[in-house]
Amino acid sequence: GDSVTQTEGLVTLTEGLPVMLNCTYQTAYSTFLFWYVQHLNEAPKLLLKSSTDNKRTEHQGFHATLHKSSSSFHLQKSSAQLSDSALYYCALSGNNYAQGLTFGLGTRVSVFP
Amino acid sequence: DMKVTQMPRYLIKRMGENVLLECGQDMSHETMYWYRQDPGLGLQLIYISYDVDSNSEGDIPKGYRVSRKKREHFSLILDSAKTNQTSVYFCASRLGGDAEQFFGPGTRLTVL
C-alpha cells in the first residue's frame, strides 16, 4: 500500500535560518503530494500541493518540488519565522481521490528568537 | 466562506459511555472523512463517506461507526467508549474531482 516517510520528528532552529523538511513516499500510482501545516489547537491547513514532476510549487514563502524519480517532496523555506512554529504533515493521495490521504507521522518545527 | 465545523470541540466521557461527534460542511462536498490524531502517529483514517448512506471503513475502523443521512452532516459514533479512544478527532471533506481535503477544527475527546 501507499506510505509516506518524514524522517524528522522535531526540528528546532533559530529565526532567520533556512529550514528543510524531508518527505519521501511509496505508491504504485501517479498521484498528488501535499504539505499540510497545523498550528497549535487548529485544523490542518493545506500549504502546498503538486502532481507535476520537477515543478517547483510555492506558497507563503515555502516551496517544494515533486521529484518522481526519487519519490520525494521536500519542504523548504529560506528564512524561518517565529510564526512557522507548527506541525507539518506530508501527505499522499493515491490514484483514487475518494480514498483518504495517507499521512506521514509529521514534523514539529519550533522556531526560536 | 468554505467551512468544516465540528461539535463539540471538547468532550470528556467515562469508559463505557456512548459518544457522538458531529461534523458539518457548507460546501456540498460529496466525500467526507473521519481521522484521529495521536502524538507520534500522525493522522489515521477511521471512515470514509462517499455520499449519503455510502460509507466505507478506513484503516482503523474498529470501535467506531458512522452515519451520514444528509450530505452536509457526517457523524462519528463510539458505542461504549474505551480509554484508548482518547484522541483528537478531525473531520474532513473533499470536492469531487479534486484531491485536496478541507479539515475541521477537531474534537478533543477524553475517555476516563
Side-chain angles (χ1 to χ4, degrees):
Chain A
D2 296 342
S3 66
V4 175
T5 301
Q6 295 179 246
T7 52
E8 307 95 0
L10 173 65
V11 171
T12 58
L13 71 156
T14 303
E15 186 179 20
L17 291 182
V19 58
M20 184 169 102
L21 307 184
N22 291 310
C23 174
T24 56
Y25 64 91
Q26 286 188 321
T27 181
Y29 303 103
S30 179
T31 187
F32 266 97
L33 267 292
F34 302 86
W35 278 100
Y36 278 84
V37 57
Q38 184 183 18
H39 288 94
L40 193 62
N41 295 324
E42 294 185 7
K45 294 178 184 174
L46 181 67
L47 182 59
L48 294 171
K49 68 178 180 183
S50 180
S51 62
T52 306
D53 198 11
N54 297 318
K55 181 180 177 181
R56 177 173 162 138
T57 302
E58 299 190 37
H59 186 60
Q60 296 182 338
F62 288 90
H63 64 92
T65 303
L66 177 59
H67 292 296
K68 294 187 178 181
S69 60
S70 58
S71 299
S72 67
F73 190 55
H74 305 319
L75 182 68
Q76 299 183 66
K77 189 175 185 183
S78 60
S79 177
Q81 299 176 317
L82 297 177
S83 58
D84 295 329
S85 295
L87 183 58
Y88 292 81
Y89 285 109
C90 183
L92 165 69
S93 175
N95 200 43
N96 181 356
Y97 292 167
Q99 296 300 111
L101 298 177
T102 299
F103 285 87
L105 297 184
T107 298
R108 183 164 297 283
V109 173
S110 293
V111 182
F112 294 94
Chain B
D1 187 24
M2 299 187 295
K3 208 173 186 179
V4 178
T5 58
Q6 291 185 237
M7 293 290 290
R9 294 294 313 279
Y10 301 90
L11 187 60
I12 300 175
K13 288 286 194 177
R14 296 194 179 279
M15 192 169 58
E17 291 184 330
N18 298 330
V19 176
L20 174 64
L21 305 185
E22 305 266 29
C23 175
Q25 50 99 359
D26 60 2
M27 300 169 278
S28 297
H29 287 176
E30 299 97 334
T31 313
M32 298 183 74
Y33 308 84
W34 278 106
Y35 293 87
R36 64 176 282 176
Q37 181 182 44
D38 301 288
L41 295 181
L43 286 155
Q44 298 174 277
L45 180 65
I46 305 172
Y47 262 96
I48 306 166
S49 175
Y50 300 107
D51 211 327
V52 171
D53 285 329
S54 178
N55 306 317
S56 178
E57 294 180 345
D59 299 322
I60 53 163
K62 187 177 179 182
Y64 304 94
R65 61 183 175 94
V66 293
S67 175
R68 193 165 178 205
K69 299 301 182 183
K70 293 183 179 180
R71 179 172 278 192
E72 61 268 24
H73 290 134
F74 188 32
S75 301
L76 181 69
I77 301 139
L78 288 66
D79 295 314
S80 188
K82 300 173 180 54
T83 55
N84 62 7
Q85 293 177 307
T86 292
S87 187
V88 181
Y89 291 87
F90 286 98
C91 175
S93 71
R94 186 190 66 88
L95 180 62
D98 198 0
E100 178 185 349
Q101 293 183 18
F102 296 85
F103 284 82
T107 294
R108 184 175 295 274
L109 172 66
T110 302
V111 182
L112 302 175

